[in-house]
Amino acid sequence: MPVPFINRELSWLEFNQRVLNEALRDDLPLLERLKFLAITASNLDEFFQVRIGSLMLLSRGGRKAADPSGMTPNQQLTAIRKRVHEMVEAQYALFTDGLLPALNSAGIRFLSPQALTPAQADQVATAFHDAISPLLTPLAVGPDESPPAVPALQLIVACRVADAESGAVRHVLIPIPEGLPRRVPVSDVGESAAFVLIEEVVAHHSGELFPGEDVLATTCFRVTRNGDIAVQEEDANDLAGEMEEVLAARKLSDTVRLELPASLPRDLLKVIQEVCRATTGEILRINGPLALAGFMDLAFLPGAEALRDEDWTPQPSPDLTPGEPIFDAIGRRDLLLHHPYESFEPVMRLIEEAADDPQVVSIKQVLYRTARQSRIIDALIRAAENGKTVTVLVELKARFDEARNLLRAEELQRAGAQIVYGVKGLKTHAKICLVVRREDGRLRRYVHLGTGNYNESTARLYTDISLLSCRPEYGADASLFFNAVTGRSKLLRFQRLVPAPTAMKPRLLDLIASEAERARQGEPAKIIAKVNSLQDPEIIAALYKASEAGVEINLNVRGICCLKTGDAKYSKHIRVVSIIDRFLEHARIFYFHQGGDPGIFIASADWMGRNLDRRVELMIPVEDSRARRRLLRILESYFQDNVQASKILPDGSSEKLKPGKGEKKFRAQEHFYKEARRVAKAREHERAMTFEPHVPK
């Protein structure tokens, strides 16, 4: 008999609903609500590119096989479209009826071109002539011509124009380049900030692009294409070149969504559908401005600090003395960092100091997603230029970051770094850096192992764990890891680190089964896990068996959760919560009681088939006693949250938790920030009282 299983796509949509619920909260600052709304729109963009594209291909291929939840591709598409329509309606009801009026009251106004004063109209006209019009490329649509290739996820203004003399009618599309800002500012009275949306500016001034013709009608649309196009690695001798072809193919792939205004002229609808090759099923009618993700930058409007949350500045680690070389600090003991409450700076310092340290011999690193202006890549380039052996595994299959990774890989290669473009047939998602340093005539290995990317920008927005260590076992395993992924050998014979796809799932299944057996023997048994997503059928089945045996299981799952809660047989002892707050929950932490000698791990991998079976990942057993205690406290704190936590319900939806009678409010992220600030201040006070000197650099 199949075990209960929630559909992956519908579970993801419920995660996005939890994000939207934050935007619906009247008690949040206005621009924070706008930010959450923009995130839901951005999430849907990626969802359509990746997940809907795959399902449509299966459906068109006649695939009838059901997924683990029992749904065929057609059934999934029907259910998804229904749920998406509901969500989009809720998004625009919030934007139109709630956020826009509130923004207007707060002095942030959106004006139509028709509502501008003469002075404002002159400002917009100048902006169009000087900064917008030179970048526009109108595309003619003719009955005897092939349809133009319109770019995905860009706003496009469609026009019906007529010859001023003959009256002959034709249609033209005007894509708005991605580099242009969404808002055109205009001066306003008092302290107000006023803007006109760029698509309205282009539509209003479109007649200037067609001399001798009249613009009779305009509308705006946006097309989303299938982004789930993979590299054919079996046939690819040049992975970088193959990836460039994939990026080009995405621009012309099948339409999976066509966003249109709620009302538009029939002839423009027909033209747009033909150009995009879209059926009625792909059309989403929108009551408001398209592309709500484009309003994200408004959440950071200068001068509007009163409409945002107070900043939570990352705190320095109490284990680091200001000015002390990072190698000295790691040499004393393992350093555990909880980002973004504690600064990512020590991780960047490891690589930056290694680049300039004459005792450092080599640096090896995996790069998956990096910042646009990456200090880490700059340091690796400098290290190579300084004559150190630098090896970088650049994952070209990091979806939607491929172009940036290609560009930075070329820079590294020019500097003299050895570049490896991933592992054939697998996506390398492990977070690991190995620095080899000559000390007292011997080589010593320093490692960074983590749950998050080497990206100093997202390190301020995502919650993650970093472990910095010079334990010989970690260092030896790190060398084995890099030898395997660069030399295309097997991920075997590790002392401590647990790699996927070879060992992580079997190890997790053994750990879960061990807890189940202890419970059957009447011993205390407990599992606590924090993951971004839980979808792997084997892991879920093992958790069900452990629950049936009486194991207490607490799961913190931010996003997809295919495990069905509340089932009297399978999940009686399983509790699942999800936390959506100002920082994106991203760390993976696992705890197994093991008869009182707990196994505590951090990992780069979620409990999903793609991570455990089709990616190169790492799970790290944490051995430092202080770090282990701290990780357990972090895990337990999440299950005390009664402010931002939601309980996952049996149908996959969620319900916000509230403090019980007489219970104090507890918000995990706020607790972590206050604790990091308290510890940092206490350490600073301790140094001042003991006259502990700063170590000169």
Side-chain angles (χ1 to χ4, degrees), residues 655-697:
E655 178 181 84
K656 201 74 173 282
L657 295 177
K658 296 178 181 178
K661 187 176 180 180
E663 187 181 12
K664 290 184 178 180
K665 289 185 176 181
F666 184 87
R667 180 183 175 193
Q669 290 196 1
E670 182 179 43
H671 166 74
F672 295 139
Y673 170 67
K674 287 182 175 179
E675 182 65 11
R677 190 171 63 175
R678 183 193 67 78
V679 171
K681 284 186 176 181
R683 183 69 176 111
E684 184 180 7
H685 178 72
E686 180 185 333
R687 290 193 188 103
M689 294 300 291
T690 57
F691 302 102
E692 183 178 315
H694 284 201
V695 178
K697 291 185 179 180

Short mmCIF file of all heavy atoms in Angstrom, two decimals, residues 655-697:
data_model
loop_
_atom_site.label_atom_id
_atom_site.label_comp_id
_atom_site.label_asym_id
_atom_site.label_seq_id
_atom_site.Cartn_x
_atom_site.Cartn_y
_atom_site.Cartn_z
N GLU A 655 -1.17 26.67 9.03
CA GLU A 655 -1.91 27.50 9.98
C GLU A 655 -0.92 28.17 10.91
O GLU A 655 -0.07 27.51 11.51
CB GLU A 655 -2.88 26.61 10.77
CG GLU A 655 -3.68 27.33 11.83
CD GLU A 655 -4.58 26.35 12.56
OE1 GLU A 655 -4.09 25.68 13.52
OE2 GLU A 655 -5.75 26.20 12.15
N LYS A 656 -0.99 29.48 11.02
CA LYS A 656 -0.04 30.23 11.85
C LYS A 656 -0.21 29.85 13.32
O LYS A 656 -1.32 29.77 13.83
CB LYS A 656 -0.28 31.73 11.65
CG LYS A 656 0.90 32.62 12.02
CD LYS A 656 1.99 32.54 10.99
CE LYS A 656 3.11 33.54 11.22
NZ LYS A 656 2.77 34.88 10.79
N LEU A 657 0.90 29.61 13.98
CA LEU A 657 0.88 29.33 15.41
C LEU A 657 0.74 30.62 16.20
O LEU A 657 1.24 31.68 15.79
CB LEU A 657 2.15 28.60 15.82
CG LEU A 657 2.36 27.20 15.24
CD1 LEU A 657 3.71 26.63 15.68
CD2 LEU A 657 1.24 26.27 15.68
N LYS A 658 0.08 30.55 17.33
CA LYS A 658 -0.10 31.70 18.21
C LYS A 658 0.26 31.31 19.63
O LYS A 658 0.14 30.14 20.01
CB LYS A 658 -1.54 32.19 18.15
CG LYS A 658 -1.97 32.71 16.78
CD LYS A 658 -3.43 33.15 16.79
CE LYS A 658 -3.85 33.64 15.41
NZ LYS A 658 -5.28 34.04 15.38
N PRO A 659 0.70 32.26 20.45
CA PRO A 659 1.01 31.94 21.85
C PRO A 659 -0.24 31.42 22.56
O PRO A 659 -1.35 31.91 22.36
CB PRO A 659 1.45 33.29 22.43
CG PRO A 659 1.84 34.12 21.25
CD PRO A 659 0.97 33.68 20.13
N GLY A 660 -0.04 30.38 23.38
CA GLY A 660 -1.13 29.87 24.18
C GLY A 660 -1.42 30.79 25.35
O GLY A 660 -0.72 31.78 25.60
N LYS A 661 -2.47 30.48 26.07
CA LYS A 661 -2.87 31.30 27.21
C LYS A 661 -1.74 31.34 28.23
O LYS A 661 -1.25 30.31 28.68
CB LYS A 661 -4.14 30.73 27.83
CG LYS A 661 -4.73 31.60 28.93
CD LYS A 661 -6.03 31.04 29.45
CE LYS A 661 -6.61 31.93 30.54
NZ LYS A 661 -7.90 31.39 31.06
N GLY A 662 -1.32 32.54 28.58
CA GLY A 662 -0.24 32.70 29.55
C GLY A 662 1.15 32.49 28.98
O GLY A 662 2.14 32.58 29.71
N GLU A 663 1.25 32.18 27.68
CA GLU A 663 2.54 31.90 27.04
C GLU A 663 3.12 33.17 26.44
O GLU A 663 2.41 33.96 25.81
CB GLU A 663 2.34 30.85 25.95
CG GLU A 663 3.63 30.35 25.31
CD GLU A 663 3.38 29.32 24.21
OE1 GLU A 663 2.21 29.17 23.80
OE2 GLU A 663 4.34 28.69 23.77
N LYS A 664 4.41 33.39 26.63
CA LYS A 664 5.06 34.56 26.07
C LYS A 664 5.32 34.37 24.58
O LYS A 664 5.52 33.26 24.11
CB LYS A 664 6.40 34.81 26.78
CG LYS A 664 6.27 35.29 28.21
CD LYS A 664 7.64 35.59 28.78
CE LYS A 664 7.53 36.11 30.21
NZ LYS A 664 8.89 36.42 30.78
N LYS A 665 5.31 35.49 23.88
CA LYS A 665 5.66 35.44 22.46
C LYS A 665 7.14 35.09 22.32
O LYS A 665 7.98 35.59 23.06
CB LYS A 665 5.39 36.78 21.78
CG LYS A 665 3.91 37.11 21.60
CD LYS A 665 3.75 38.40 20.82
CE LYS A 665 2.28 38.69 20.54
NZ LYS A 665 2.11 39.94 19.76
N PHE A 666 7.44 34.24 21.35
CA PHE A 666 8.84 33.87 21.07
C PHE A 666 9.02 33.83 19.56
O PHE A 666 8.36 33.06 18.87
CB PHE A 666 9.20 32.52 21.68
CG PHE A 666 10.66 32.15 21.51
CD1 PHE A 666 11.60 32.57 22.43
CD2 PHE A 666 11.07 31.41 20.41
CE1 PHE A 666 12.94 32.23 22.27
CE2 PHE A 666 12.41 31.08 20.24
CZ PHE A 666 13.35 31.49 21.18
N ARG A 667 9.92 34.66 19.08
CA ARG A 667 10.22 34.74 17.64
C ARG A 667 11.68 34.31 17.46
O ARG A 667 12.59 35.00 17.90
CB ARG A 667 10.00 36.17 17.15
CG ARG A 667 10.28 36.41 15.69
CD ARG A 667 10.08 37.88 15.39
NE ARG A 667 10.45 38.23 14.02
CZ ARG A 667 10.61 39.48 13.58
NH1 ARG A 667 10.38 40.49 14.42
NH2 ARG A 667 10.97 39.70 12.33
N ALA A 668 11.89 33.19 16.80
CA ALA A 668 13.22 32.58 16.75
C ALA A 668 14.26 33.52 16.16
O ALA A 668 15.35 33.70 16.73
CB ALA A 668 13.16 31.28 15.96
N GLN A 669 13.97 34.13 15.02
CA GLN A 669 14.99 34.97 14.38
C GLN A 669 15.34 36.17 15.25
O GLN A 669 16.51 36.55 15.34
CB GLN A 669 14.51 35.42 12.99
CG GLN A 669 14.46 34.29 11.98
CD GLN A 669 14.37 34.78 10.55
OE1 GLN A 669 14.35 35.99 10.27
NE2 GLN A 669 14.33 33.85 9.61
N GLU A 670 14.35 36.76 15.88
CA GLU A 670 14.63 37.87 16.78
C GLU A 670 15.48 37.40 17.96
O GLU A 670 16.42 38.09 18.39
CB GLU A 670 13.31 38.46 17.28
CG GLU A 670 13.48 39.67 18.19
CD GLU A 670 12.14 40.22 18.65
OE1 GLU A 670 11.26 39.42 19.01
OE2 GLU A 670 11.97 41.45 18.64
N HIS A 671 15.18 36.22 18.48
CA HIS A 671 15.98 35.65 19.58
C HIS A 671 17.43 35.45 19.15
O HIS A 671 18.36 35.81 19.90
CB HIS A 671 15.36 34.31 19.99
CG HIS A 671 16.26 33.48 20.86
ND1 HIS A 671 16.50 33.77 22.18
CD2 HIS A 671 16.99 32.36 20.57
CE1 HIS A 671 17.34 32.87 22.68
NE2 HIS A 671 17.64 32.00 21.73
N PHE A 672 17.65 34.91 17.95
CA PHE A 672 19.02 34.68 17.48
C PHE A 672 19.78 35.99 17.34
O PHE A 672 20.97 36.07 17.69
CB PHE A 672 19.01 33.93 16.15
CG PHE A 672 18.44 32.54 16.21
CD1 PHE A 672 17.60 32.07 15.20
CD2 PHE A 672 18.72 31.70 17.27
CE1 PHE A 672 17.07 30.80 15.25
CE2 PHE A 672 18.20 30.41 17.33
CZ PHE A 672 17.37 29.96 16.32
N TYR A 673 19.11 37.02 16.81
CA TYR A 673 19.78 38.30 16.63
C TYR A 673 20.14 38.92 17.98
O TYR A 673 21.27 39.38 18.19
CB TYR A 673 18.91 39.26 15.83
CG TYR A 673 19.46 40.67 15.84
CD1 TYR A 673 20.67 40.97 15.20
CD2 TYR A 673 18.81 41.69 16.53
CE1 TYR A 673 21.20 42.24 15.24
CE2 TYR A 673 19.33 42.97 16.56
CZ TYR A 673 20.53 43.24 15.92
OH TYR A 673 21.05 44.51 15.97
N LYS A 674 19.18 38.93 18.90
CA LYS A 674 19.44 39.53 20.21
C LYS A 674 20.53 38.77 20.95
O LYS A 674 21.37 39.37 21.65
CB LYS A 674 18.16 39.56 21.03
CG LYS A 674 17.15 40.60 20.55
CD LYS A 674 15.91 40.64 21.43
CE LYS A 674 14.97 41.75 21.00
NZ LYS A 674 13.73 41.79 21.84
N GLU A 675 20.54 37.45 20.81
CA GLU A 675 21.57 36.64 21.46
C GLU A 675 22.94 36.93 20.86
O GLU A 675 23.94 37.06 21.59
CB GLU A 675 21.23 35.16 21.33
CG GLU A 675 22.20 34.22 22.01
CD GLU A 675 22.23 34.34 23.51
OE1 GLU A 675 21.35 35.04 24.10
OE2 GLU A 675 23.13 33.75 24.13
N ALA A 676 23.02 37.05 19.54
CA ALA A 676 24.31 37.36 18.89
C ALA A 676 24.80 38.74 19.32
O ALA A 676 26.00 38.92 19.59
CB ALA A 676 24.15 37.31 17.37
N ARG A 677 23.89 39.69 19.44
CA ARG A 677 24.28 41.04 19.86
C ARG A 677 24.72 41.03 21.33
O ARG A 677 25.71 41.67 21.69
CB ARG A 677 23.11 42.00 19.65
CG ARG A 677 23.50 43.47 19.84
CD ARG A 677 22.40 44.40 19.43
NE ARG A 677 21.20 44.22 20.25
CZ ARG A 677 20.12 44.98 20.14
NH1 ARG A 677 20.08 45.94 19.23
NH2 ARG A 677 19.08 44.77 20.93
N ARG A 678 23.99 40.28 22.17
CA ARG A 678 24.34 40.20 23.59
C ARG A 678 25.73 39.59 23.78
O ARG A 678 26.57 40.13 24.53
CB ARG A 678 23.30 39.37 24.34
CG ARG A 678 23.55 39.28 25.85
CD ARG A 678 22.68 38.20 26.50
NE ARG A 678 23.05 36.86 26.08
CZ ARG A 678 24.09 36.19 26.56
NH1 ARG A 678 24.91 36.75 27.45
NH2 ARG A 678 24.36 34.97 26.13
N VAL A 679 25.98 38.49 23.08
CA VAL A 679 27.28 37.81 23.22
C VAL A 679 28.41 38.68 22.69
O VAL A 679 29.49 38.76 23.30
CB VAL A 679 27.23 36.45 22.50
CG1 VAL A 679 28.61 35.82 22.44
CG2 VAL A 679 26.24 35.51 23.18
N ALA A 680 28.17 39.37 21.57
CA ALA A 680 29.21 40.23 21.00
C ALA A 680 29.54 41.38 21.95
O ALA A 680 30.72 41.72 22.15
CB ALA A 680 28.76 40.77 19.65
N LYS A 681 28.51 41.98 22.56
CA LYS A 681 28.75 43.08 23.50
C LYS A 681 29.46 42.58 24.75
O LYS A 681 30.36 43.26 25.28
CB LYS A 681 27.42 43.73 23.87
CG LYS A 681 26.85 44.64 22.79
CD LYS A 681 25.61 45.38 23.29
CE LYS A 681 25.12 46.36 22.23
NZ LYS A 681 23.92 47.11 22.69
N ALA A 682 29.07 41.40 25.23
CA ALA A 682 29.73 40.85 26.41
C ALA A 682 31.20 40.58 26.14
O ALA A 682 32.06 40.84 27.00
CB ALA A 682 29.02 39.56 26.84
N ARG A 683 31.50 40.07 24.95
CA ARG A 683 32.90 39.78 24.60
C ARG A 683 33.68 41.09 24.47
O ARG A 683 34.84 41.16 24.91
CB ARG A 683 32.95 39.00 23.30
CG ARG A 683 34.35 38.59 22.87
CD ARG A 683 34.91 37.55 23.81
NE ARG A 683 36.22 37.08 23.37
CZ ARG A 683 37.36 37.33 24.00
NH1 ARG A 683 37.36 38.04 25.12
NH2 ARG A 683 38.49 36.86 23.54
N GLU A 684 33.06 42.10 23.89
CA GLU A 684 33.73 43.39 23.76
C GLU A 684 34.00 43.98 25.15
O GLU A 684 35.09 44.52 25.40
CB GLU A 684 32.84 44.34 22.94
CG GLU A 684 33.47 45.68 22.66
CD GLU A 684 32.56 46.58 21.84
OE1 GLU A 684 31.39 46.21 21.61
OE2 GLU A 684 33.00 47.68 21.45
N HIS A 685 33.03 43.86 26.05
CA HIS A 685 33.21 44.36 27.42
C HIS A 685 34.32 43.58 28.12
O HIS A 685 35.16 44.17 28.83
CB HIS A 685 31.89 44.22 28.18
CG HIS A 685 31.98 44.66 29.61
ND1 HIS A 685 32.09 45.99 29.98
CD2 HIS A 685 31.98 43.94 30.77
CE1 HIS A 685 32.15 46.08 31.29
NE2 HIS A 685 32.09 44.85 31.80
N GLU A 686 34.36 42.29 27.93
CA GLU A 686 35.40 41.45 28.54
C GLU A 686 36.78 41.86 28.08
O GLU A 686 37.72 41.95 28.90
CB GLU A 686 35.12 39.99 28.20
CG GLU A 686 36.12 39.01 28.77
CD GLU A 686 35.87 37.59 28.28
OE1 GLU A 686 34.71 37.26 27.96
OE2 GLU A 686 36.85 36.82 28.20
N ARG A 687 36.90 42.13 26.78
CA ARG A 687 38.22 42.56 26.27
C ARG A 687 38.62 43.89 26.88
O ARG A 687 39.78 44.11 27.23
CB ARG A 687 38.17 42.68 24.74
CG ARG A 687 38.06 41.36 24.00
CD ARG A 687 38.34 41.57 22.51
NE ARG A 687 38.05 40.36 21.75
CZ ARG A 687 36.96 40.18 21.03
NH1 ARG A 687 36.06 41.14 20.93
NH2 ARG A 687 36.76 39.05 20.37
N ALA A 688 37.65 44.81 27.00
CA ALA A 688 37.95 46.13 27.56
C ALA A 688 38.37 46.02 29.02
O ALA A 688 39.30 46.70 29.47
CB ALA A 688 36.73 47.03 27.41
N MET A 689 37.70 45.15 29.78
CA MET A 689 37.98 45.02 31.21
C MET A 689 39.33 44.34 31.47
O MET A 689 39.98 44.58 32.48
CB MET A 689 36.87 44.21 31.89
CG MET A 689 35.52 44.93 31.89
SD MET A 689 35.56 46.51 32.76
CE MET A 689 35.79 45.96 34.45
N THR A 690 39.73 43.47 30.56
CA THR A 690 41.01 42.76 30.74
C THR A 690 42.14 43.41 29.96
O THR A 690 43.24 42.87 29.92
CB THR A 690 40.86 41.30 30.30
OG1 THR A 690 40.43 41.25 28.94
CG2 THR A 690 39.85 40.57 31.16
N PHE A 691 41.83 44.55 29.32
CA PHE A 691 42.82 45.26 28.52
C PHE A 691 43.43 44.37 27.44
O PHE A 691 44.62 44.41 27.15
CB PHE A 691 43.94 45.85 29.39
CG PHE A 691 43.43 46.78 30.44
CD1 PHE A 691 43.31 46.37 31.76
CD2 PHE A 691 43.04 48.07 30.10
CE1 PHE A 691 42.83 47.22 32.73
CE2 PHE A 691 42.55 48.93 31.07
CZ PHE A 691 42.44 48.51 32.39
N GLU A 692 42.58 43.49 26.89
CA GLU A 692 43.06 42.58 25.85
C GLU A 692 43.37 43.40 24.60
O GLU A 692 42.52 44.10 24.06
CB GLU A 692 41.97 41.55 25.53
CG GLU A 692 42.39 40.52 24.52
CD GLU A 692 41.28 39.49 24.30
OE1 GLU A 692 40.70 39.03 25.30
OE2 GLU A 692 41.00 39.17 23.13
N PRO A 693 44.60 43.36 24.12
CA PRO A 693 44.96 44.22 22.98
C PRO A 693 44.41 43.70 21.67
O PRO A 693 44.16 42.51 21.52
CB PRO A 693 46.50 44.14 22.97
CG PRO A 693 46.78 42.77 23.53
CD PRO A 693 45.72 42.51 24.56
N HIS A 694 44.19 44.61 20.76
CA HIS A 694 43.89 44.21 19.39
C HIS A 694 45.18 43.68 18.77
O HIS A 694 46.26 44.24 18.97
CB HIS A 694 43.39 45.39 18.56
CG HIS A 694 41.98 45.75 18.88
ND1 HIS A 694 41.19 46.46 18.03
CD2 HIS A 694 41.20 45.48 19.96
CE1 HIS A 694 39.99 46.63 18.57
NE2 HIS A 694 39.98 46.05 19.74
N VAL A 695 45.06 42.62 18.05
CA VAL A 695 46.24 42.04 17.40
C VAL A 695 46.48 42.81 16.11
O VAL A 695 45.58 42.91 15.27
CB VAL A 695 46.02 40.55 17.09
CG1 VAL A 695 47.23 39.97 16.37
CG2 VAL A 695 45.75 39.79 18.39
N PRO A 696 47.67 43.39 15.92
CA PRO A 696 47.92 44.13 14.67
C PRO A 696 47.88 43.21 13.48
O PRO A 696 48.32 42.07 13.54
CB PRO A 696 49.32 44.72 14.88
CG PRO A 696 49.96 43.82 15.90
CD PRO A 696 48.86 43.35 16.79
N LYS A 697 47.35 43.74 12.39
CA LYS A 697 47.29 42.95 11.15
C LYS A 697 48.66 42.88 10.52
O LYS A 697 49.44 43.80 10.60
CB LYS A 697 46.28 43.56 10.17
CG LYS A 697 44.86 43.42 10.65
CD LYS A 697 43.90 43.93 9.60
CE LYS A 697 42.46 43.79 10.05
NZ LYS A 697 41.50 44.28 9.07
#
